[in-house]
Amino acid sequence: MLKHQALLYWMVVLALTVSGPIHAQEKGDTPVTDEMLLNPDPADWLMFSRTYDNQRFSPLNQINRQNVGQLKMAWSRGMHPGTQEGIPLVHNGVMYVANPDVDMQFGIVQALDATNGDLIWEYKRELPEDLGENIARIRVRTLAISEDKVYYATPDGFVVALGLGDGELHWETKAHDYKVANEHSTGPMVAKGKVITGRNCDPGPQARENCFIAAHDAETGKEVWKFYVPAGNDEPGGDTWGGQPEGSRMCTPWGLPSSYDKERNVVYWGVGNPSPHTRYLRHDGKPFAVPLTTPSELYCNSTLALDVDTGKLVWYYQHVAGDDWDSDWPHERVLFSSKFDPDPKAVKWFNPNVKRGETRDMVASVGENGGLWVLDRATGEFLWAIPFPFDDPLFYISDVDGSTGKTSINPAMVLTKDKEQHTICFSDTKGYYAMAYHPGENALYIPYHDTCLTRTGALSTLNGHSFKSFIRTGADADDWTGIAKVNMETGKMEKFHAQRNPTNGAVLATAGELIFWGDMNRRFYAFDAKSGEVLWESIVGGIVQNSTITYSVNGKQYVAIMTGDGVGHTGKLALVPELKTPRGHNAVYVFALPE
């Protein structure tokens, strides 16, 4: 099968080469079928992590560890100013990007010639004047492609379908009220003919009705299903909220979109923390009104497996019980298969009932406040977990029952009154900047920050606490951030790369045995996938923001990033005061080997 796919790929490349260059406008008209989404051409980058399993692994190997040192900038293009956290898509020689707008007047999508950055078309959506001043509202992390359409989740709460080749509006559907559900931050994904979106939601007496994952028909825009993330009173899990009024329950699927398992007809979606952040503010001064052990306040801080056809819950796993620290788990779930053989010296918690050496289909995720969890993706059974990036006495999870997978939080770190102070680890260890999985190495490459936080009870504030992040006590301030490489059979972790300057960059793995990644100091790197040796480095004009993809046009491989400022995690710059990175530099940078 793999030989057949490789032969077909090279036949396509040869055909394009023989027939000469094709105008990008014509190339962009080629529909993207379900089969193409399931088995994408290595030349394309059709979704935020290339494939439904979110591995961010590309089979392209024209650029490899032998020649990567020759990489040169092929082209660059400035973008509109504003909040930028996006990941471009590429199909048949056309790059599709969502643009920010600093004045919050327009939502913008562009199609660019992927060989030179020339504009093919631009869609500008005029936004309502009362959208507000919260710049987070205009961020969107990805677009989606299916058949002859590009899908965009707009800042004013709509899902729109645009013509792949011309950007013309095919349909638009109101997904939520932007006045109460304040972000379409995830961006859309398409699975089995459905456009699926997550969102952020505002606190208040009717918060729950705006905290949902939605699916719309990709052809018509008609709503197919909704899944409300905070469980209602009459639903399974509704009794885990300690009597909190149903309407005010809040946790949001705001992070990166889902992964999709065609065999099981399931999408795996991550959910963020309950709000307000502190237990005593959520429960009228009673921080222990909900348990310290899962389940508690379902389905916050959980991995959800949802049936694609109906949106019904197939299974869930909750990572944090009654969160007290804004410990989000809303980002990518990575799917892979591996033998189960955790090393007791490396893995703190594992399931003693799973046969060693047995191969399982797995789903892995990392929390914003640290922790790497691995589950069986058919059932949600707990397999193993580590207190990533390191095992510290102040880690916010105190225990995991290996047999049941139930987690417990540390009661000594729960705020119980005003002005009480605690220190916890970790803080914003990994955000929306995606990790990568290399199947040849059977390893995850995870961008991380080794930071903790001190927080103080502050009942008069929105979330009941104030906090300050800092480099973990005992960590080397010149060596506190970078990429960790984790073997997914044994759980052994190594520092793949470490440095002083923080990151908002996604990781990319390729068949050229390379790992690409960029940081907030404008540096973009290529590493040897085995050794972590830096093989190439380039300096760009701003913060490397998420993005990091590779694609090919007419047989030539390119590597692309986008620069700009994110909303939250860019705050890590404060931990490196001497770093004077230009802010607000929004651009696309694309690299290739010289002719």
Side-chain angles (χ1 to χ4, degrees), residues 223-409:
E223 184 182 293
V224 180
W225 53 258
K226 281 184 180 179
F227 180 87
Y228 291 91
V229 174
N233 286 335
D234 297 328
E235 299 173 348
D239 59 352
T240 62
W241 281 85
Q244 182 177 344
E246 180 182 70
S248 63
R249 298 172 188 177
M250 176 183 166
C251 49
T252 68
W254 67 270
L256 288 167
S258 170
S259 50
Y260 170 53
D261 186 328
K262 179 179 181 294
E263 179 183 344
R264 296 173 175 87
N265 197 43
V266 161
V267 290
Y268 303 91
W269 209 287
V271 182
N273 58 282
S275 290
H277 297 164
T278 52
R279 293 163 64 108
Y280 68 51
L281 206 59
R282 290 198 301 275
H283 298 285
D284 298 323
K286 300 175 183 177
F288 302 109
V290 293
L292 299 168
T293 298
T294 56
S296 181
E297 298 176 322
L298 291 175
Y299 294 96
C300 304
N301 286 326
S302 297
T303 297
L304 305 179
L306 303 178
D307 184 282
V308 173
D309 293 330
T310 65
K312 292 183 178 179
L313 185 67
V314 178
W315 58 257
Y316 79 91
Y317 178 89
Q318 189 174 44
H319 302 270
V320 186
D323 182 11
D324 202 50
W325 312 281
D326 188 18
S327 304
D328 273 329
W329 283 80
H331 300 307
E332 77 277 24
R333 268 53 182 168
V334 180
L335 311 182
F336 59 97
S337 297
S338 174
K339 288 184 178 179
F340 173 88
D341 194 15
D343 183 341
K345 295 180 180 179
V347 178
K348 187 168 186 175
W349 304 297
F350 58 88
N351 192 329
N353 302 318
V354 178
K355 183 179 178 181
R356 287 190 173 271
E358 185 175 271
T359 297
R360 290 289 190 104
D361 290 340
M362 300 180 177
V363 51
S365 59
V366 176
E368 284 206 345
N369 281 15
L372 167 61
W373 254 250
V374 183
L375 311 173
D376 184 289
R377 73 172 186 254
T379 63
E381 180 184 18
F382 172 77
L383 296 178
W384 59 267
I386 57 175
F388 180 86
F390 304 106
D391 191 1
D392 189 278
L394 297 176
F395 190 57
Y396 66 107
I397 300 293
S398 61
D399 188 41
V400 181
D401 184 316
S403 295
T404 65
K406 290 187 175 185
T407 69
S408 300
I409 63 173

Side-chain angles (χ1 to χ4, degrees), residues 95-106:
M95 177 181 289
Y96 301 90
V97 296
N99 257 238
D101 179 62
V102 69
D103 296 321
M104 301 184 71
Q105 294 180 335
F106 298 99

Side-chain angles (χ1 to χ4, degrees), residues 12-21:
V12 171
V13 170
L14 179 61
L16 289 172
T17 304
V18 171
S19 62

Side-chain angles (χ1 to χ4, degrees), residues 87-303:
I87 302 171
L89 305 183
V90 177
H91 171 53
N92 210 14
V94 180
M95 177 181 289
Y96 301 90
V97 296
N99 257 238
D101 179 62
V102 69
D103 296 321
M104 301 184 71
Q105 294 180 335
F106 298 99
I108 302 167
V109 178
Q110 292 177 327
L112 310 175
D113 186 317
T115 66
N116 56 31
D118 287 349
L119 181 67
I120 298 171
W121 57 255
E122 182 177 82
Y123 167 80
K124 293 184 74 173
R125 180 182 185 84
E126 189 170 353
L127 300 176
E129 292 183 359
D130 63 348
L131 189 64
E133 297 180 356
N134 181 359
I135 61 171
R137 291 180 184 270
I138 61 172
R139 62 178 169 171
V140 61
R141 298 189 179 93
T142 188
L143 302 166
I145 298 176
S146 179
E147 298 297 341
D148 59 347
K149 300 177 183 66
V150 178
Y151 300 95
Y152 171 44
T154 73
D156 56 337
F158 283 74
V159 177
V160 303
L162 309 174
L164 198 63
D166 57 17
E168 293 297 315
L169 182 65
H170 281 232
W171 56 255
E172 63 175 40
T173 297
K174 185 177 181 179
H176 65 246
D177 183 349
Y178 66 85
K179 296 178 182 179
V180 288
N182 67 8
E183 292 180 63
H184 243 151
S185 53
T186 64
M189 67 170 291
V190 176
K192 206 175 178 183
K194 297 171 185 64
V195 186
I196 309 175
T197 54
R199 58 208 18 87
N200 211 338
C201 46
D202 281 344
Q206 302 302 319
R208 180 180 179 270
E209 68 182 49
N210 302 296
C211 299
F212 60 85
I213 300 164
H216 293 83
D217 185 277
E219 186 59 34
T220 66
K222 182 180 179 181
E223 184 182 293
V224 180
W225 53 258
K226 281 184 180 179
F227 180 87
Y228 291 91
V229 174
N233 286 335
D234 297 328
E235 299 173 348
D239 59 352
T240 62
W241 281 85
Q244 182 177 344
E246 180 182 70
S248 63
R249 298 172 188 177
M250 176 183 166
C251 49
T252 68
W254 67 270
L256 288 167
S258 170
S259 50
Y260 170 53
D261 186 328
K262 179 179 181 294
E263 179 183 344
R264 296 173 175 87
N265 197 43
V266 161
V267 290
Y268 303 91
W269 209 287
V271 182
N273 58 282
S275 290
H277 297 164
T278 52
R279 293 163 64 108
Y280 68 51
L281 206 59
R282 290 198 301 275
H283 298 285
D284 298 323
K286 300 175 183 177
F288 302 109
V290 293
L292 299 168
T293 298
T294 56
S296 181
E297 298 176 322
L298 291 175
Y299 294 96
C300 304
N301 286 326
S302 297
T303 297

Side-chain angles (χ1 to χ4, degrees), residues 515-536:
I515 301 296
F516 289 94
W517 173 79
D519 67 20
M520 294 190 203
N521 192 31
R522 305 183 296 121
R523 269 59 177 177
F524 184 44
Y525 301 99
F527 305 94
D528 184 302
K530 290 185 179 295
S531 69
E533 178 186 357
V534 177
L535 302 177
W536 171 84

